PDB file of all heavy atoms in Angstrom:
ATOM      1  N   ALA A 159      -6.059 -19.098  15.553  1.00  0.00           N
ATOM      2  CA  ALA A 159      -6.700 -19.835  14.536  1.00  0.00           C
ATOM      3  C   ALA A 159      -5.968 -20.891  13.941  1.00  0.00           C
ATOM      4  O   ALA A 159      -6.493 -21.794  13.307  1.00  0.00           O
ATOM      5  CB  ALA A 159      -7.281 -18.863  13.390  1.00  0.00           C
ATOM      6  N   ILE A 160      -4.568 -20.819  14.050  1.00  0.00           N
ATOM      7  CA  ILE A 160      -3.673 -21.778  13.411  1.00  0.00           C
ATOM      8  C   ILE A 160      -3.224 -22.840  14.429  1.00  0.00           C
ATOM      9  O   ILE A 160      -2.692 -22.479  15.537  1.00  0.00           O
ATOM     10  CB  ILE A 160      -2.483 -21.008  12.855  1.00  0.00           C
ATOM     11  CG1 ILE A 160      -2.847 -20.130  11.718  1.00  0.00           C
ATOM     12  CG2 ILE A 160      -1.592 -22.164  12.045  1.00  0.00           C
ATOM     13  CD1 ILE A 160      -3.761 -20.596  10.650  1.00  0.00           C
ATOM     14  N   PRO A 161      -3.314 -24.051  14.220  1.00  0.00           N
ATOM     15  CA  PRO A 161      -3.034 -25.088  15.293  1.00  0.00           C
ATOM     16  C   PRO A 161      -1.448 -25.049  15.452  1.00  0.00           C
ATOM     17  O   PRO A 161      -0.650 -24.806  14.620  1.00  0.00           O
ATOM     18  CB  PRO A 161      -3.426 -26.436  14.627  1.00  0.00           C
ATOM     19  CG  PRO A 161      -3.575 -26.173  13.079  1.00  0.00           C
ATOM     20  CD  PRO A 161      -3.957 -24.829  12.928  1.00  0.00           C
ATOM     21  N   THR A 162      -1.107 -25.340  16.630  1.00  0.00           N
ATOM     22  CA  THR A 162       0.241 -25.535  17.023  1.00  0.00           C
ATOM     23  C   THR A 162       0.769 -26.944  16.583  1.00  0.00           C
ATOM     24  O   THR A 162       0.039 -27.958  16.979  1.00  0.00           O
ATOM     25  CB  THR A 162       0.555 -25.233  18.482  1.00  0.00           C
ATOM     26  OG1 THR A 162       0.134 -23.874  18.800  1.00  0.00           O
ATOM     27  CG2 THR A 162       2.008 -25.441  18.909  1.00  0.00           C
ATOM     28  N   THR A 163       1.871 -27.071  15.870  1.00  0.00           N
ATOM     29  CA  THR A 163       2.177 -28.412  15.300  1.00  0.00           C
ATOM     30  C   THR A 163       3.590 -28.729  15.675  1.00  0.00           C
ATOM     31  O   THR A 163       4.445 -27.923  15.795  1.00  0.00           O
ATOM     32  CB  THR A 163       1.998 -28.402  13.816  1.00  0.00           C
ATOM     33  OG1 THR A 163       2.946 -27.563  13.226  1.00  0.00           O
ATOM     34  CG2 THR A 163       0.602 -28.021  13.387  1.00  0.00           C
ATOM     35  N   VAL A 164       3.891 -29.900  15.710  1.00  0.00           N
ATOM     36  CA  VAL A 164       5.232 -30.456  15.666  1.00  0.00           C
ATOM     37  C   VAL A 164       5.572 -30.587  14.197  1.00  0.00           C
ATOM     38  O   VAL A 164       4.637 -30.837  13.412  1.00  0.00           O
ATOM     39  CB  VAL A 164       5.332 -31.773  16.478  1.00  0.00           C
ATOM     40  CG1 VAL A 164       6.794 -32.281  16.281  1.00  0.00           C
ATOM     41  CG2 VAL A 164       4.928 -31.579  17.827  1.00  0.00           C
ATOM     42  N   ASN A 165       6.729 -30.472  13.770  1.00  0.00           N
ATOM     43  CA  ASN A 165       7.109 -30.470  12.364  1.00  0.00           C
ATOM     44  C   ASN A 165       6.867 -31.841  11.934  1.00  0.00           C
ATOM     45  O   ASN A 165       7.547 -32.847  12.128  1.00  0.00           O
ATOM     46  CB  ASN A 165       8.650 -30.086  12.201  1.00  0.00           C
ATOM     47  CG  ASN A 165       8.917 -30.198  10.743  1.00  0.00           C
ATOM     48  OD1 ASN A 165       8.217 -30.033   9.777  1.00  0.00           O
ATOM     49  ND2 ASN A 165      10.198 -30.286  10.396  1.00  0.00           N
ATOM     50  N   VAL A 166       5.835 -31.996  11.032  1.00  0.00           N
ATOM     51  CA  VAL A 166       5.419 -33.345  10.471  1.00  0.00           C
ATOM     52  C   VAL A 166       5.701 -33.444   8.973  1.00  0.00           C
ATOM     53  O   VAL A 166       5.726 -34.450   8.379  1.00  0.00           O
ATOM     54  CB  VAL A 166       3.993 -33.700  10.766  1.00  0.00           C
ATOM     55  CG1 VAL A 166       3.809 -33.833  12.169  1.00  0.00           C
ATOM     56  CG2 VAL A 166       3.067 -32.618  10.157  1.00  0.00           C
ATOM     57  N   ALA A 167       5.880 -32.259   8.335  1.00  0.00           N
ATOM     58  CA  ALA A 167       6.184 -32.332   6.928  1.00  0.00           C
ATOM     59  C   ALA A 167       7.659 -32.531   6.639  1.00  0.00           C
ATOM     60  O   ALA A 167       8.511 -31.861   7.397  1.00  0.00           O
ATOM     61  CB  ALA A 167       5.661 -30.977   6.246  1.00  0.00           C
ATOM     62  N   PRO A 168       7.967 -33.214   5.633  1.00  0.00           N
ATOM     63  CA  PRO A 168       9.410 -33.269   5.090  1.00  0.00           C
ATOM     64  C   PRO A 168       9.846 -31.850   4.786  1.00  0.00           C
ATOM     65  O   PRO A 168       9.176 -31.128   4.220  1.00  0.00           O
ATOM     66  CB  PRO A 168       9.433 -34.309   3.951  1.00  0.00           C
ATOM     67  CG  PRO A 168       8.116 -35.079   4.036  1.00  0.00           C
ATOM     68  CD  PRO A 168       7.191 -34.120   4.762  1.00  0.00           C
ATOM     69  N   GLN A 169      11.081 -31.565   5.205  1.00  0.00           N
ATOM     70  CA  GLN A 169      11.559 -30.192   5.147  1.00  0.00           C
ATOM     71  C   GLN A 169      11.881 -29.816   3.745  1.00  0.00           C
ATOM     72  O   GLN A 169      11.945 -28.581   3.389  1.00  0.00           O
ATOM     73  CB  GLN A 169      12.835 -30.038   6.005  1.00  0.00           C
ATOM     74  CG  GLN A 169      12.526 -30.281   7.531  1.00  0.00           C
ATOM     75  CD  GLN A 169      13.750 -30.138   8.350  1.00  0.00           C
ATOM     76  OE1 GLN A 169      14.842 -29.915   7.879  1.00  0.00           O
ATOM     77  NE2 GLN A 169      13.566 -30.348   9.684  1.00  0.00           N
ATOM     78  N   GLY A 170      12.350 -30.695   2.959  1.00  0.00           N
ATOM     79  CA  GLY A 170      13.078 -30.397   1.760  1.00  0.00           C
ATOM     80  C   GLY A 170      12.375 -29.512   0.757  1.00  0.00           C
ATOM     81  O   GLY A 170      12.855 -28.793  -0.006  1.00  0.00           O
ATOM     82  N   ASP A 171      11.066 -29.736   0.613  1.00  0.00           N
ATOM     83  CA  ASP A 171      10.172 -29.009  -0.245  1.00  0.00           C
ATOM     84  C   ASP A 171       9.638 -27.724   0.325  1.00  0.00           C
ATOM     85  O   ASP A 171       8.892 -27.026  -0.315  1.00  0.00           O
ATOM     86  CB  ASP A 171       9.046 -29.837  -0.734  1.00  0.00           C
ATOM     87  CG  ASP A 171       9.468 -30.796  -1.810  1.00  0.00           C
ATOM     88  OD1 ASP A 171      10.605 -30.495  -2.458  1.00  0.00           O
ATOM     89  OD2 ASP A 171       8.842 -31.778  -2.174  1.00  0.00           O
ATOM     90  N   THR A 172       9.805 -27.519   1.615  1.00  0.00           N
ATOM     91  CA  THR A 172       9.287 -26.271   2.175  1.00  0.00           C
ATOM     92  C   THR A 172      10.196 -25.353   2.868  1.00  0.00           C
ATOM     93  O   THR A 172      10.079 -24.100   2.875  1.00  0.00           O
ATOM     94  CB  THR A 172       8.170 -26.694   3.177  1.00  0.00           C
ATOM     95  OG1 THR A 172       8.821 -27.450   4.222  1.00  0.00           O
ATOM     96  CG2 THR A 172       7.009 -27.279   2.576  1.00  0.00           C
ATOM     97  N   LEU A 173      11.358 -25.899   3.382  1.00  0.00           N
ATOM     98  CA  LEU A 173      12.147 -25.082   4.328  1.00  0.00           C
ATOM     99  C   LEU A 173      13.555 -24.915   3.680  1.00  0.00           C
ATOM    100  O   LEU A 173      14.075 -25.912   3.171  1.00  0.00           O
ATOM    101  CB  LEU A 173      12.326 -25.883   5.676  1.00  0.00           C
ATOM    102  CG  LEU A 173      13.041 -24.993   6.772  1.00  0.00           C
ATOM    103  CD1 LEU A 173      12.061 -24.004   7.268  1.00  0.00           C
ATOM    104  CD2 LEU A 173      13.230 -26.029   8.000  1.00  0.00           C
ATOM    105  N   PRO A 174      14.053 -23.581   3.721  1.00  0.00           N
ATOM    106  CA  PRO A 174      15.356 -23.381   3.127  1.00  0.00           C
ATOM    107  C   PRO A 174      16.427 -23.923   4.246  1.00  0.00           C
ATOM    108  O   PRO A 174      16.272 -23.660   5.350  1.00  0.00           O
ATOM    109  CB  PRO A 174      15.440 -21.837   3.135  1.00  0.00           C
ATOM    110  CG  PRO A 174      14.380 -21.345   4.040  1.00  0.00           C
ATOM    111  CD  PRO A 174      13.315 -22.435   4.065  1.00  0.00           C
ATOM    112  N   LEU A 175      17.320 -24.593   3.659  1.00  0.00           N
ATOM    113  CA  LEU A 175      18.399 -25.176   4.512  1.00  0.00           C
ATOM    114  C   LEU A 175      19.725 -24.650   4.081  1.00  0.00           C
ATOM    115  O   LEU A 175      20.183 -24.670   2.935  1.00  0.00           O
ATOM    116  CB  LEU A 175      18.483 -26.757   4.432  1.00  0.00           C
ATOM    117  CG  LEU A 175      17.138 -27.513   4.713  1.00  0.00           C
ATOM    118  CD1 LEU A 175      17.221 -28.933   4.431  1.00  0.00           C
ATOM    119  CD2 LEU A 175      16.789 -27.313   6.199  1.00  0.00           C
ATOM    120  N   THR A 176      20.533 -24.068   5.067  1.00  0.00           N
ATOM    121  CA  THR A 176      21.810 -23.487   4.726  1.00  0.00           C
ATOM    122  C   THR A 176      22.693 -24.421   4.083  1.00  0.00           C
ATOM    123  O   THR A 176      23.652 -24.075   3.230  1.00  0.00           O
ATOM    124  CB  THR A 176      22.532 -22.903   5.993  1.00  0.00           C
ATOM    125  OG1 THR A 176      22.537 -23.913   7.052  1.00  0.00           O
ATOM    126  CG2 THR A 176      21.621 -21.772   6.528  1.00  0.00           C
ATOM    127  N   THR A 177      22.680 -25.766   4.326  1.00  0.00           N
ATOM    128  CA  THR A 177      23.631 -26.629   3.776  1.00  0.00           C
ATOM    129  C   THR A 177      23.420 -26.800   2.271  1.00  0.00           C
ATOM    130  O   THR A 177      24.305 -27.351   1.558  1.00  0.00           O
ATOM    131  CB  THR A 177      23.457 -27.966   4.494  1.00  0.00           C
ATOM    132  OG1 THR A 177      22.081 -28.424   4.415  1.00  0.00           O
ATOM    133  CG2 THR A 177      23.968 -28.006   5.906  1.00  0.00           C
ATOM    134  N   ASP A 178      22.257 -26.349   1.764  1.00  0.00           N
ATOM    135  CA  ASP A 178      21.972 -26.618   0.224  1.00  0.00           C
ATOM    136  C   ASP A 178      22.428 -25.358  -0.459  1.00  0.00           C
ATOM    137  O   ASP A 178      22.388 -25.485  -1.745  1.00  0.00           O
ATOM    138  CB  ASP A 178      20.468 -26.803   0.087  1.00  0.00           C
ATOM    139  CG  ASP A 178      20.013 -28.140   0.743  1.00  0.00           C
ATOM    140  OD1 ASP A 178      20.848 -29.018   0.856  1.00  0.00           O
ATOM    141  OD2 ASP A 178      18.812 -28.147   1.098  1.00  0.00           O
ATOM    142  N   ILE A 179      22.535 -24.115   0.138  1.00  0.00           N
ATOM    143  CA  ILE A 179      22.693 -23.042  -0.611  1.00  0.00           C
ATOM    144  C   ILE A 179      23.939 -23.011  -1.520  1.00  0.00           C
ATOM    145  O   ILE A 179      23.874 -22.621  -2.687  1.00  0.00           O
ATOM    146  CB  ILE A 179      22.820 -21.859   0.467  1.00  0.00           C
ATOM    147  CG1 ILE A 179      21.551 -21.717   1.241  1.00  0.00           C
ATOM    148  CG2 ILE A 179      22.933 -20.492  -0.333  1.00  0.00           C
ATOM    149  CD1 ILE A 179      20.235 -21.696   0.513  1.00  0.00           C
ATOM    150  N   LYS A 180      25.050 -23.450  -1.003  1.00  0.00           N
ATOM    151  CA  LYS A 180      26.311 -23.513  -1.897  1.00  0.00           C
ATOM    152  C   LYS A 180      26.047 -24.229  -3.116  1.00  0.00           C
ATOM    153  O   LYS A 180      26.465 -23.828  -4.290  1.00  0.00           O
ATOM    154  CB  LYS A 180      27.514 -24.045  -1.013  1.00  0.00           C
ATOM    155  CG  LYS A 180      28.831 -23.962  -1.839  1.00  0.00           C
ATOM    156  CD  LYS A 180      29.976 -24.450  -0.902  1.00  0.00           C
ATOM    157  CE  LYS A 180      31.292 -24.289  -1.752  1.00  0.00           C
ATOM    158  NZ  LYS A 180      32.409 -24.837  -0.897  1.00  0.00           N
ATOM    159  N   ARG A 181      25.467 -25.431  -3.001  1.00  0.00           N
ATOM    160  CA  ARG A 181      25.272 -26.122  -4.249  1.00  0.00           C
ATOM    161  C   ARG A 181      24.355 -25.420  -5.210  1.00  0.00           C
ATOM    162  O   ARG A 181      24.526 -25.492  -6.409  1.00  0.00           O
ATOM    163  CB  ARG A 181      24.647 -27.584  -3.873  1.00  0.00           C
ATOM    164  CG  ARG A 181      24.265 -28.445  -5.008  1.00  0.00           C
ATOM    165  CD  ARG A 181      23.449 -29.610  -4.588  1.00  0.00           C
ATOM    166  NE  ARG A 181      22.902 -30.377  -5.794  1.00  0.00           N
ATOM    167  CZ  ARG A 181      22.179 -31.415  -5.707  1.00  0.00           C
ATOM    168  NH1 ARG A 181      21.755 -31.874  -4.529  1.00  0.00           N
ATOM    169  NH2 ARG A 181      21.693 -31.890  -6.817  1.00  0.00           N
ATOM    170  N   LEU A 182      23.166 -24.960  -4.752  1.00  0.00           N
ATOM    171  CA  LEU A 182      22.233 -24.210  -5.609  1.00  0.00           C
ATOM    172  C   LEU A 182      22.899 -23.084  -6.161  1.00  0.00           C
ATOM    173  O   LEU A 182      22.516 -22.668  -7.365  1.00  0.00           O
ATOM    174  CB  LEU A 182      21.127 -23.927  -4.818  1.00  0.00           C
ATOM    175  CG  LEU A 182      20.274 -25.096  -4.196  1.00  0.00           C
ATOM    176  CD1 LEU A 182      19.125 -24.634  -3.189  1.00  0.00           C
ATOM    177  CD2 LEU A 182      19.595 -25.970  -5.233  1.00  0.00           C
TER     178      LEU A 182
END
Side-chain angles (χ1 to χ4, degrees):
I160 305 298
T162 299
T163 67
V164 177
N165 180 25
V166 296
Q169 299 175 359
D171 279 342
T172 56
L173 193 67
L175 303 174
T176 52
T177 52
D178 295 335
I179 300 303
K180 184 176 180 180
R181 174 188 172 186
L182 294 175

